[in-house]
Amino acid sequence: MTTATTATTATTAVPAPEALAALLDVLRAGAPEHAVDARAVRRAFEAERPGPLPDHWWLAVPGGTYEAAFTVLGLHDRVPVTVRYGLAAQEDDEKSAPGPVHRVFVTPEYAGWRLIYAESPLRETTWWPHEVVERLSAACGRAQVFFQDPFADSVIWAAAEHGTLVRGYWRHDAPEWTGEPLPWEPLPTAGEPDEDDPDGTEPNASLVESIGAAAAGLSVNPAAISADTPVRGHGWLALTAPGAGHDGFGGAPVL
């Protein structure tokens, strides 16, 4: 069930001065030919408004406990970023230093939840997504993972609480359910089995299959974020290796 926040703002927060200084160092190193100052960066954060986010794969953790996710996921050297910057960083998210280093974007808090975009690292965990959310939920209390590949008709969504998986759905060819339906899930009508389960062999099935519907019931659907969505804080960009530096990923940083 979605957790509401008490702090609703029209814009994301401006980072603290020391965090802003760290971001300025990254911006100047990544695009030294472009003059950038604290005032311009502040304006970029102040101009942000909540809007739809990508919905192909992401993690979700409660806004009140999200800080623990940095440790669980092995993230380092975070700097505050606008949502535009964070999403653009996922397009060029890997470099060698000399081993592979990835950039991970943690969004502002939307309706009580922080979303985590990790393009390459999440792709590498597609075959064991339950392990990821179990580890995250052990530290954050609750955690979810969502993945969809419309070209392959593959869908995964799963939710864990306090280190234990409570509900999951996996579809590649045939659907596969884990755990019992949650209270918000609509169930097939008695005597009318789901078309993907005509023999009624999945007693724990529900009518929730899309990640958008699952996300709306579990936390927040990124594709449905709008100007009316409560937002708090600002986003963070972190690295999967310490001391690797935020430069060298390709493309100039965009505010």
Side-chain angles (χ1 to χ4, degrees), residues 141-156:
R142 301 170 69 186
Q144 298 129 32
V145 62
F146 304 90
F147 165 81
Q148 67 177 348
D149 181 353
F151 300 105
D153 192 31
S154 296
V155 172
I156 297 170

Side-chain angles (χ1 to χ4, degrees), residues 3 28 55 77 93 107 113 118 148 210 212 222:
T3 302
R28 289 164 178 160
D55 62 348
D77 304 333
D93 75 323
T107 72
W113 294 84
Q148 67 177 348
S210 75

Side-chain angles (χ1 to χ4, degrees), residues 19-38 40-42 44-45 79-82 85 246-247 251-255:
L20 197 62
L23 175 58
L24 280 168
D25 289 342
V26 170
L27 292 170
R28 289 164 178 160
E33 69 277 13
H34 298 295
V36 60
D37 57 23
V41 176
R42 287 180 61 88
F45 280 97
V79 293
V81 290
T82 62
Y85 188 162
H246 284 267
D247 57 333
V254 289
L255 282 175

Side-chain angles (χ1 to χ4, degrees), residues 199-210:
D199 299 322
T201 56
E202 295 290 346
N204 62 342
S206 79
L207 298 178
V208 179
E209 298 181 355
S210 75

Side-chain angles (χ1 to χ4, degrees), residues 27-93:
L27 292 170
R28 289 164 178 160
E33 69 277 13
H34 298 295
V36 60
D37 57 23
R39 183 176 300 177
V41 176
R42 287 180 61 88
R43 284 198 301 265
F45 280 97
E46 290 168 349
E48 284 207 300
R49 300 293 183 274
L53 298 178
D55 62 348
H56 54 296
W57 53 34
W58 72 96
L59 300 164
V61 293
T65 56
Y66 86 99
E67 293 273 357
F70 289 96
T71 300
V72 173
L73 297 176
L75 303 180
H76 308 270
D77 304 333
R78 63 180 178 176
V79 293
V81 290
T82 62
V83 173
R84 183 177 177 224
Y85 188 162
L87 293 178
Q90 292 301 286
E91 297 174 7
D92 293 293
D93 75 323

Side-chain angles (χ1 to χ4, degrees), residues 160-188:
E161 296 182 4
H162 306 294
T164 301
L165 187 76
V166 296
R167 187 61 164 151
Y169 176 77
W170 185 307
R171 185 183 77 234
H172 184 60
D173 292 320
E176 180 179 325
W177 300 88
T178 302
E180 296 303 314
L182 298 173
W184 53 268
E185 293 184 61
L187 304 178

